[in-house]
């Protein structure tokens, strides 16, 4: 099993948190995760340590208002290098995110995406042009380009912490959920970065990019709802002012995914949503954003 300078397959991991609640990819050297709702915040810090480990997870939740997107910064603050990663960065807020990373004295190692976004241009390519050495990560099933590709069971290591990869297709063919490790030296409760597969009291649409309501229902129930009920849910978007939920909450209160599969498919088939206004720009850009040296910004 290789570190995330290398890719490996494994199970998900856990994390212990005071307030708010990662995957290892097996990469070879040849290959150039409420009790009450918290209101949306620009940045939320999270640190945790296990009784059997001095590892500390530094966590920030960052928000981009135009697309209502959350970007997540995670780092092993106890490691000498303070290695960090960003999940679902947005091009419009790259400078803000990199400034924060510099202020916190972190070393950005990975810029990773849960899927090919259709509502904004990811910041991955722009980050790579500004910070040499950062590796982009996306699922192999996404069809996008990246430095590293992950598959179900892979782990992404940063310092002594790691994220596990779970395949959660349905919103798109290549959606994955990154979950903090299920190990005694990893933070508790665990944290799941669900992309658009599972939102707080909702889920992503399934009518484009190879989406499937049937597949999404199975993904959420088999890959997310099987996590411990106190696992924190951190989605890629929120439109109602919420920032975090838990597996237990969504299993009880999600108005779509608490229904049986046939009812869920009927709900999704009758959403009558408008065509995503950014899709014709965002999807082509994001399919190559993982390796391009420059991102063509919207004008």
């Amino acid at each position: 099993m290789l570190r995330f300078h290398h890719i490996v397959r494994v199970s998900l991991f856990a994390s212990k948190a005071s307030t708010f609640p990662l995957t290892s990819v097996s990469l070879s050297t040849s290959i150039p995760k409420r009790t009450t709702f918290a209101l949306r915040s620009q940045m939320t810090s999270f640190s945790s340590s296990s009784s059997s480990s001095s590892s500390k997870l530094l966590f920030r939740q960052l928000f981009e208002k135009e697309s209502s997107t959350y970007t997540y910064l995670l780092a092993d603050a106890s490691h000498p290098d303070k290695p960090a990663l960003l999940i679902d960065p947005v091009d419009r807020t790259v400078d803000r995110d990199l400034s924060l990373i510099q202020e916190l004295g972190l070393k950005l190692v990975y810029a990773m995406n849960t899927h090919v976004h259709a509502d904004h241009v990811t910041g991955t390519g722009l980050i790579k042009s500004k910070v040499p050495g950062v590796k982009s990560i996306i699922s192999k099933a996404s069809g996008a380009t990246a430095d590293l590709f992950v598959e179900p069971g892979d782990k992404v290591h940063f310092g002594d912490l790691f994220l596990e990869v779970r395949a959660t297709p349905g919103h798109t063919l290549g959606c994955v959920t990154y979950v903090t490790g299920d190990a005694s030296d990893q933070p508790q409760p665990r944290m799941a970065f669900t992309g658009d597969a599972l939102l707080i009291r909702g889920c992503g649409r399934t009518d484009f990019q190879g989406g499937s309501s049937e597949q999404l229902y199975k993904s959420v129930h088999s890959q997310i709802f099987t996590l411990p009920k106190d696992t924190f849910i951190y989605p890629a978007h929120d439109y109602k002012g919420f920032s975090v939920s838990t597996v237990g909450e969504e299993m009880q209160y999600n108005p779509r995914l608490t229904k049986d599969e046939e009812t869920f498919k009927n709900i999704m088939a009758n959403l009558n949503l408008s065509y995503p206004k950014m899709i014709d720009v965002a999807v082509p850009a994001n399919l190559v954003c993982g390796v391009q040296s420059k991102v063509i910004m919207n004008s």
Side-chain angles (χ1 to χ4, degrees):
M1 198 154 46
L2 300 173
R3 288 261 176 186
F4 205 43
H5 301 293
H6 313 284
I7 296 182
V8 168
R9 287 229 173 126
V10 208
S11 57
L12 305 176
F13 68 97
S15 164
K16 196 159 207 166
S18 55
T19 309
F20 292 93
L22 271 201
T23 58
S24 168
V25 175
S26 266
L27 299 175
S28 71
T29 52
S30 61
I31 299 180
K33 186 161 214 71
R34 111 196 162 192
T35 4
T36 60
F37 276 143
L39 293 178
R40 174 183 290 136
S41 59
Q42 291 296 323
M43 292 187 287
T44 300
S45 68
F46 168 86
S47 65
S48 101
S49 60
S50 166
S51 58
S52 61
S53 172
S54 61
S55 295
K56 180 191 288 185
L57 173 64
L58 182 150
F59 174 72
R60 296 291 187 273
Q61 182 179 45
L62 305 163
F63 187 66
E64 195 284 305
K65 64 181 181 179
E66 295 300 321
S67 58
S68 297
T69 298
Y70 282 123
T71 295
Y72 299 99
L73 170 64
L74 294 85
D76 183 348
S78 68
H79 191 277
D81 295 332
K82 294 187 176 181
L85 57 82
L86 283 169
I87 298 175
D88 290 336
V90 181
D91 61 347
R92 294 171 185 257
T93 51
V94 161
D95 287 341
R96 176 202 66 187
D97 299 348
L98 294 181
S99 178
L100 175 62
I101 289 169
Q102 183 177 27
E103 290 171 355
L104 295 175
L106 308 177
K107 179 182 179 180
L108 185 62
V109 180
Y110 302 117
M112 49 207 294
N113 287 282
T114 54
H115 63 291
V116 175
H117 302 276
D119 47 11
H120 68 268
V121 175
T122 181
T124 308
L126 186 56
I127 288 171
K128 284 174 57 64
S129 71
K130 290 175 174 284
V131 186
V134 172
K135 300 294 184 183
S136 58
I137 299 175
I138 200 166
S139 72
K140 186 175 181 180
S142 69
T145 55
D147 297 308
L148 306 171
F149 297 99
V150 293
E151 297 183 74
D154 286 344
K155 291 181 179 178
V156 179
H157 287 269
F158 55 108
D160 295 321
L161 302 175
F162 66 93
L163 291 174
E164 294 179 352
V165 179
R166 290 195 172 199
T168 49
H171 171 61
T172 74
L173 286 172
C175 287
V176 295
T177 291
Y178 298 112
V179 187
T180 52
D182 185 12
S184 61
D185 62 345
Q186 300 298 305
Q188 295 280 348
R190 297 173 74 177
M191 306 160 72
F193 301 92
T194 57
D196 286 19
L198 179 62
L199 305 178
I200 297 173
R201 304 301 191 266
C203 63
R205 62 194 294 176
T206 59
D207 57 337
F208 60 87
Q209 286 184 276
S212 164
S213 297
E214 179 179 1
Q215 194 171 43
L216 180 58
Y217 189 89
K218 288 179 168 57
S219 292
V220 172
H221 281 265
S222 66
Q223 300 300 316
I224 299 176
F225 283 179
T226 53
L227 290 164
K229 290 184 179 180
D230 64 350
T231 302
F232 290 100
I233 298 296
Y234 285 108
H237 301 281
D238 187 84
Y239 308 97
K240 297 180 180 180
F242 299 127
S243 61
V244 62
S245 183
T246 66
V247 167
E249 278 181 56
E250 295 309 313
M251 290 178 68
Q252 185 172 1
Y253 300 116
N254 192 293
R256 299 177 185 177
L257 289 154
T258 51
K259 305 296 192 294
D260 62 78
E261 185 175 339
E262 288 306 312
T263 302
F264 174 76
K265 291 193 291 185
N266 185 59
I267 292 172
M268 299 304 290
N270 290 281
L271 293 178
N272 298 316
L273 298 172
S274 59
Y275 188 72
K277 62 181 181 180
M278 282 288 294
I279 189 171
D280 293 328
V281 173
V283 171
N286 292 338
L287 284 170
V288 300
C289 196
V291 295
Q292 67 186 30
S293 59
K294 293 183 180 180
V295 175
I296 299 176
M297 310 296 284
N298 299 324
S299 58

